[in-house]
Amino acid sequence: MKRLAGLVLTAFFLILQAICLAPPANAATHQVMMQDYAYGPAALTVRAGDTVTWMQHDQAPHDVVTTSAPVAFRSPQLSAGQSWSHTFTKPGTYSYYCSVHPDMRATVTVLAAETPTKQPSPTPSKQTTARPTATSAPSSSSPPTSSAAPAPAPVVPETSVPAPPVTQEAAATGPSLDPMLLVAGVVTGVAVLCLLLVGSRPGG
């Protein structure tokens, strides 16, 4: 259990050290080749916080020694396949050469680190809300809308037509006679006429 706790603490300290020693996010790494008894490129421009790595490709040994620089530095002698790095923290011009081969010369110009420009935060735009306006009565010149109720039509009084008097119709048409009564009347008349004729004959 103690061994496990020790491993956890060791891992924690290693992570914390890596975070603290990590280069800034905007730092870059540059390479200079030591080949054919020359530095390539012979003139390099970097920014403060950048790292330069010298890669040795010649069979003869080489090194990096400053001759004029804001901060002097010197690398060990490098054999073929080896490399050495240096992080520049102070702006200025660093002139260096190889102490084994003095004709090998080059410079590194270090510029000030870029300070992130703080972009102004956009100001929130004020949204103008339209205020509800009071509904005004329609003007007399505007045509009436379809929602307006139509004016009620004037009520015309109905003129009563007098019915013709029943008495006039009765007088015009006359009473209707039953045919049977008419026949009975004719027969009765004929019988009375015969009786009158018989009664008026003188007795013999």
Side-chain angles (χ1 to χ4, degrees):
M1 189 69 182
K2 292 182 179 179
R3 185 177 180 182
L4 180 61
L7 290 175
V8 171
L9 289 175
T10 304
F12 175 76
F13 282 117
L14 288 176
I15 294 173
L16 184 62
Q17 184 179 6
I19 293 174
C20 294
L21 297 180
N26 56 353
T29 301
H30 308 269
Q31 290 184 352
V32 176
M33 302 300 172
M34 306 164 75
Q35 190 173 8
D36 297 333
Y37 297 89
Y39 296 105
L44 180 66
T45 301
V46 300
R47 289 193 175 273
D50 291 355
T51 301
V52 177
T53 301
W54 285 264
M55 307 289 295
Q56 223 285 60
H57 295 286
D58 284 341
Q59 294 299 324
H62 296 303
D63 59 2
V64 178
V65 180
T66 55
T67 57
S68 172
V71 179
F73 59 84
R74 184 188 184 104
S75 73
Q77 287 191 2
L78 305 176
S79 300
Q82 292 182 336
S83 63
W84 181 77
S85 300
H86 178 75
T87 301
F88 293 87
T89 57
K90 190 172 182 179
T93 301
Y94 294 75
S95 300
Y96 63 92
Y97 80 118
C98 174
S99 62
V100 183
H101 307 92
D103 293 336
M104 294 176 57
R105 293 180 178 273
T107 58
V108 175
T109 303
V110 180
L111 304 178
E114 290 183 346
T115 56
T117 57
K118 186 178 180 182
Q119 297 181 355
S121 58
T123 56
S125 58
K126 296 182 180 180
Q127 298 180 356
T128 58
T129 56
R131 296 182 179 178
T133 57
T135 56
S136 58
S139 59
S140 58
S141 60
S142 60
T145 58
S146 59
S147 59
V155 179
V156 180
E158 296 182 358
T159 57
S160 58
V161 180
V166 181
T167 55
Q168 293 180 1
E169 289 182 0
T173 58
S176 60
L177 299 177
D178 192 357
M180 296 300 295
L181 293 177
L182 182 59
V183 172
V186 171
V187 171
T188 305
V190 172
V192 171
L193 182 58
C194 290
L195 289 175
L196 290 175
L197 290 175
V198 171
S200 63
R201 294 175 64 179

